[in-house]
Amino acid sequence: MKLFAHPFSSYCQKVLIALYENVTPFEFRMLAPDDAQAAAELAALWPLARMPVLVDAGRTVVEATIIIEYLQLNHPGPMQLVPEDRGAALPVRMMDRFFDNYVMTPMQKLVLDSIRTPEQRDHQGVTEARQLLDTSYRWLDDTMKGREWAAGDAFTLADCAAAPALFYADWAHAIAPVFANVDAYRRRLLARPSFARAVDEARPYRGNFPLGAPDRD
Ligand SMILES: N[C@@H](CCC(=O)N[C@@H](CS)C(=O)NCC(=O)O)C(=O)O
């Protein structure tokens, strides 16, 4: 099984957390920005050229959430990241969608806008992204009151999504001190060995963060 990925990519980290949680063996195919051969391999597999992409037994699986669902079906381990029961799985999938759509997407907007030339900057889009993050943080702060993990007591797919989303979102649009429950949840995620490992593996690339990676974390 081969994962086409980069250690600093948020969506790649989402899948790496799932792989590390279950100690699933895989080969890491590095997608370095200056590696034309790796980029060509990725584009041949997935013309949209977004990472991560998983290749397993001749099958190409795309989209981080679907890769994690695929791993659970085909390479299960001790950690069940999506409950078998379809009803119990709904809040997990709902929180996964929340983190991708309402934290990861506006965070990416802020990051991508910052690497545009000044005349190409989308001020309106950036303002809207910051407003969306504030609304998301506020809702999540209330939701996480008395909750350990995103969907309750168990660590799930939703936490795989939350970890890199909140990790980078905080760098782009601060969570603390206003949203204490979100900040505490982000700290719990950082202390989780699977995510701590992904964060450590990505440390050498922090200079690539265009908004300036803070020294903490
Ligand atoms: N919806 C995709 C998003 C993947 C995504 O946005 N990946 C980013 C890296 S974090 C990427 O490939 N960016 C390269 C590009 O946009 O060309 C998923 O869930 O896997």
Side-chain angles (χ1 to χ4, degrees), residues 2-217:
K2 206 186 261 195
L3 185 73
F4 289 73
H6 189 283
F8 201 58
S9 145
S10 51
Y11 279 104
C12 297
Q13 289 179 2
K14 176 174 168 178
V15 168
L16 288 171
I17 294 167
L19 288 162
Y20 296 160
E21 284 287 332
N22 275 315
V23 201
T24 311
F26 70 101
E27 183 189 330
F28 193 101
R29 178 65 173 107
M30 178 74 167
L31 292 170
D34 53 355
D35 185 343
Q37 168 65 30
E41 282 176 39
L42 175 71
L45 288 167
W46 181 223
L48 275 73
R50 297 290 190 280
M51 55 179 142
V53 170
L54 185 81
V55 177
D56 184 34
R59 201 161 165 188
T60 300
V61 188
V62 299
E63 294 291 305
T65 296
I66 307 306
I67 294 173
I68 294 172
E69 298 251 17
Y70 175 91
L71 289 170
Q72 177 151 314
L73 273 176
N74 297 281
H75 299 274
M79 282 293 297
Q80 182 143 37
L81 295 171
V82 185
E84 289 264 327
D85 179 83
R86 292 174 69 187
L90 278 185
V92 170
R93 294 193 169 107
M94 187 193 88
M95 291 302 279
D96 172 69
R97 295 299 76 228
F98 166 77
F99 286 112
D100 276 17
N101 291 323
Y102 306 123
V103 180
M104 202 83 105
T105 298
M107 176 276 289
Q108 284 187 329
K109 173 74 185 172
L110 299 184
V111 170
L112 292 175
D113 194 79
S114 72
I115 55 179
R116 290 181 173 181
T117 58
E119 50 294 349
Q120 286 176 324
R121 296 245 163 99
D122 172 12
H123 298 290
Q124 168 88 14
V126 163
T127 301
E128 286 168 5
R130 289 194 184 279
Q131 284 168 348
L132 179 53
L133 279 172
D134 278 332
T135 306
S136 297
Y137 291 169
R138 194 170 307 114
W139 179 81
L140 187 62
D141 205 56
D142 204 40
T143 302
M144 290 309 295
K145 235 177 246 161
R147 205 184 267 198
E148 187 174 11
W149 300 114
D153 294 337
F155 188 94
T156 65
L157 160 71
D159 302 293
C160 299
L166 292 174
F167 179 69
Y168 289 117
D170 180 52
W171 288 6
H173 188 76
I175 293 169
V178 180
F179 305 103
N181 296 323
V182 181
D183 185 48
Y185 172 49
R186 183 178 179 276
R187 285 174 201 277
R188 284 196 291 284
L189 290 164
L190 278 163
R192 184 94 183 172
S194 56
F195 185 49
R197 179 176 166 187
V199 167
D200 280 343
E201 289 168 348
R203 264 179 218 284
Y205 307 99
R206 284 190 180 198
N208 297 351
F209 195 72
L211 295 166
D215 286 336
R216 58 185 161 81
D217 300 327

